[in-house]
Amino acid sequence: MNPPGNEYIMGRTSQEYQRLRSQARVWEPVTRRLLGRLELRAGMSCLDVGCGPGEVMRVLGEIAGPTGRVAGLDVDGNLGREALGVLQATTPCRFTFTDGNVETLEEIPGAPFDVTYARITLVHVRDPIAVLRKMYAWTKPGGYIVVQEYDNCSLTVYPEWPGMVELEKVLGGVYAKAGRDQFLGRKLPTCFDEAGIGPPDGSEVASELGPFSQYGPMCKAVYSSLLPIALKTGITSGADSEAYFREVEKALSESKYTVLFPLLVGVWKRKPA
Ligand SMILES: C[S@@+](CC[C@H](N)C(=O)[O-])C[C@H]1O[C@@H](n2cnc3c(N)ncnc32)[C@H](O)[C@@H]1O
């Protein structure tokens, strides 16, 4: 295993890919709402940085239509190519995919774009400011840079749930070990400024609230994806993780708890024409 700092902390398992698709379903209405606030049009060109399973590429493709184009970029080539195959077969738009690391890539085919977009990607890179700078350089004058990122400040299970301490320990512990910022969402305006983009033109901040039966499985899936690093680096133990999974099962059988999701903070800026 690579040292923390160089790896994708959620791992690359089929369970994690499934979790990414479930997560995308949760946030699709929020992303659509955010994109609906911009002056987007058929025929536009878009780039989705860290496109993962391609769910936002699909949404962008629906807006851009058959005369538009949507490029995906992801360091996970297998996931991106699979997404590309599905998109090309189902959504009338011109889709492409680049297998690459946004931190080391200097150029991307198709740049500049009318929209450069990233969701829950900056939190996984070493230098989010450098990536923002790059995204802005790949944006056409008059085009948009749009970013949505997590801020874990709101993550709560109510009433007090015995599994929460372990979830926070592993979530906070792995992020810190890897040098990732679990409160990046609130810092996006500052990050835009630091990257030379200037203050965002607007923001869209959202969360989700639902019964444990609906969102408890996500608490389990996030924890499970982080667990290999947490065990390897001594953030948690086998016994603590087994106790956590027991608490999840107990809560799922009790219908007494409510889960409040992390915030998804979205910001955008239109590049001067
Ligand atoms: C949490 S997923 C989000 C996927 C997608 N944006 C979404 O919201 O559904 C983060 C994605 O960023 C990709 N990623 C992480 N670091 C990257 C990098 N340095 N360059 C390109 N992609 C990266 C991961 O492979 C993963 O697919």
Side-chain angles (χ1 to χ4, degrees):
M1 183 180 277
N2 294 330
N6 288 332
E7 67 184 302
Y8 181 54
I9 58 174
M10 309 305 291
R12 307 235 178 244
T13 60
S14 56
Q15 291 90 330
E16 168 58 14
Y17 293 161
Q18 206 39 53
R19 187 194 72 78
L20 285 179
R21 291 188 186 96
S22 307
Q23 177 176 259
R25 274 195 295 279
V26 171
W27 294 121
E28 180 163 334
V30 176
T31 294
R32 282 186 187 277
R33 196 162 66 230
L34 167 62
L35 295 174
R37 293 178 66 180
L38 315 179
E39 283 175 37
L40 304 184
R41 51 173 179 79
M44 68 182 181
S45 58
C46 313
L47 171 68
D48 184 2
V49 176
C51 60
E55 293 298 317
V56 179
M57 288 176 73
R58 178 174 49 77
V59 173
L60 290 167
E62 285 170 14
I63 302 169
T67 57
R69 54 189 176 91
V70 178
L73 165 65
D74 205 290
V75 74
D76 188 333
N78 291 334
L79 183 60
R81 278 185 290 272
E82 191 189 324
L84 183 64
V86 173
L87 289 165
Q88 287 176 334
T90 56
T91 309
C93 179
R94 290 170 295 164
F95 292 103
T96 55
F97 172 71
T98 299
D99 177 352
N101 182 341
V102 65
E103 302 214 72
T104 50
L105 208 65
E106 284 311 323
E107 286 175 11
I108 180 145
F113 299 89
D114 294 306
V115 179
T116 55
Y117 174 90
R119 184 174 75 183
I120 323 170
T121 299
L122 293 186
V123 74
H124 291 295
V125 303
R126 269 180 309 108
D127 187 347
I129 307 292
V131 172
L132 280 174
R133 219 172 266 135
K134 207 172 270 188
M135 286 174 67
Y136 199 56
W138 291 340
T139 307
K140 282 184 192 170
Y144 292 94
I145 177 169
V146 188
V147 175
Q148 290 183 290
E149 271 307 329
Y150 271 141
D151 190 309
N152 282 342
C153 64
S154 57
L155 177 61
T156 316
V157 178
Y158 180 83
E160 198 171 318
W161 173 54
M164 198 63 199
V165 173
E166 175 66 11
L167 177 58
E168 282 175 346
K169 183 176 86 181
V170 165
L171 194 60
V174 172
Y175 269 68
K177 265 259 170 1
R180 305 300 190 247
D181 184 348
Q182 57 165 328
F183 305 109
L184 184 60
R186 75 187 68 170
K187 298 172 189 161
L188 287 177
T190 320
C191 293
F192 267 43
D193 239 355
E194 263 186 71
I197 300 168
D201 292 337
S203 66
E204 175 88 26
V205 181
S207 183
E208 277 295 315
L209 178 69
F212 201 90
S213 56
Q214 188 179 4
Y215 292 136
M218 184 58 83
C219 296
K220 182 178 178 182
V222 167
Y223 180 91
S224 299
S225 291
L226 294 167
L227 189 56
I229 296 182
L231 288 172
K232 198 136 202 151
T233 55
I235 289 166
T236 195
S237 65
D240 284 357
S241 65
E242 281 162 27
Y244 175 80
F245 288 124
R246 280 197 298 276
E247 290 299 342
V248 171
E249 294 314 316
K250 195 157 169 268
L252 284 171
S253 70
E254 284 175 344
S255 68
K256 129 181 179 193
Y257 295 104
T258 299
V259 179
L260 180 62
F261 253 54
L263 299 181
L264 187 67
V265 180
V267 296
W268 71 89
K269 177 91 177 177
R270 192 162 200 173
K271 193 170 184 171

